[in-house]
Amino acid sequence: MTLLAQISDLHLDGGERAARRATRVMDYLRALPREVDALLVTGDIADHGAEGEYEEATRILKAPFPVLTCPGNHDARPAYRKALLGTAPEPGPINQAHHIGGTAVLMCDSTIPGRDEGRLDAETLAWIETTLTELPQDAPALLAFHQPPVRMHHPLPDSCMLEETGPLADLLQAHPEVVAVLTGHAHTAAGSTFAGRPLIVGPAVTWTLRMPWEGDAPADREQPPGLAFHVLDDDRRLTTHYRVVI
Ligand SMILES: [Fe+2]
Ligand SMILES: [Fe+2]
């Protein structure tokens, strides 16, 4: 089996609160008696896309296990590349494929610079297609990106979700090896389906979305930071366990 952890939406801003919450979840993960095979961080790592915020992220996310990241709408590609990945500060989509215990984990860039809604652009869709096609036969794959491709039933995330989802649905139909789609952005631990696959939304580290039936103000800053554990077993079934870290 493969054991993955997922955190999302750290919104590191140089302030004490965001750093403390992110450090708390990382301390929890680093202290586990069985180390995770990898940690996925599904975007909104920085709050303003500043280089200093990514330098802070680099320090906080340091771990003995692989840490896989993708950007969110609060991230900025050039600063993300320079300070988090140590590569040239180019503006194109940041797509990275990782191989964790026989599972391909595709960390995809669904951001549109300057906008909150997301889209998998032609370059990213082509990269996903090529990467999946080149995998060994029967190798399972996970797709991770920031904006969920389905409604969350809250006006805030539903105003800036993933758009133009048809090509992604077509791609999934052609690639049964994709076991699940993992996202962040909605600041709520949620499960749904997309194109017949599980769609798992990781909780946020910074604040939790208050649903319309829970009250009016969308940001519940009192809830503790959350994380998800994803277990992928040998028959390709993904099971997710959610945790909060007090
Ligand atoms: Fe966010
Ligand atoms: Fe976001």
Side-chain angles (χ1 to χ4, degrees):
M1 83 175 207
T2 301
L3 174 63
L4 303 171
Q6 180 189 2
I7 60 173
S8 199
D9 296 84
L10 286 61
H11 289 268
L12 293 170
D13 57 3
E16 188 272 333
R17 179 185 181 276
R20 173 168 37 86
R21 291 171 72 94
T23 301
R24 203 188 301 170
V25 290
M26 289 306 295
D27 284 346
Y28 177 79
L29 290 169
R30 283 185 290 249
L32 292 173
R34 194 280 205 200
E35 195 169 275
V36 298
D37 294 310
L39 168 67
L40 283 60
V41 188
T42 44
D44 284 357
I45 295 166
D47 197 39
H48 309 99
E51 256 184 65
E53 295 171 345
Y54 294 111
E55 286 160 6
E56 186 180 21
T58 302
R59 287 193 298 274
I60 291 174
L61 294 173
K62 213 172 179 49
F65 40 80
V67 177
L68 325 179
T69 64
C70 68
N73 52 303
H74 282 256
D75 292 302
R77 289 169 175 172
Y80 183 117
R81 275 201 169 90
K82 184 174 176 209
L84 196 61
L85 304 181
T87 58
E90 291 162 1
I94 300 167
N95 297 311
Q96 297 175 289
H98 307 269
H99 299 275
I100 307 294
T103 301
V105 183
L106 277 63
M107 302 298 292
C108 313
D109 190 339
S110 63
T111 66
I112 308 169
R115 291 172 60 186
D116 289 333
E117 58 270 49
R119 187 199 306 132
L120 296 171
D121 67 12
E123 179 181 335
T124 298
L125 286 165
W127 173 81
I128 296 170
E129 173 71 36
T130 304
T131 305
L132 292 175
T133 302
E134 289 174 353
L135 291 180
Q137 188 112 26
D138 295 331
L142 293 166
L143 291 190
F145 47 83
H146 187 62
Q147 288 94 343
V150 303
R151 292 180 61 206
M152 293 286 107
H153 302 283
H154 187 292
L156 183 60
D158 291 352
S159 70
C160 51
M161 54 191 285
L162 193 82
E163 298 182 341
E164 300 173 29
T165 56
L168 175 63
D170 293 344
L171 193 148
L172 290 171
Q173 297 295 348
H175 288 281
E177 70 272 29
V178 178
V179 172
V181 175
L182 311 176
T183 76
H185 185 55
H187 292 218
T188 180
S192 187
T193 59
F194 177 77
R197 291 327 132 78
L199 167 65
I200 307 296
V201 181
V205 171
T206 178
W207 52 260
T208 297
L209 186 70
R210 187 180 280 121
M211 295 304 287
W213 55 88
E214 295 180 300
D216 291 332
D220 185 345
R221 295 168 68 85
E222 300 304 316
Q223 297 273 346
L227 62 92
F229 290 115
H230 304 296
V231 183
L232 186 60
D233 60 27
D234 294 338
D235 60 3
R236 294 184 175 203
R237 175 174 289 114
L238 189 83
T239 304
T240 297
H241 302 263
Y242 291 111
R243 289 289 178 276
V244 292
V245 184
I246 305 290

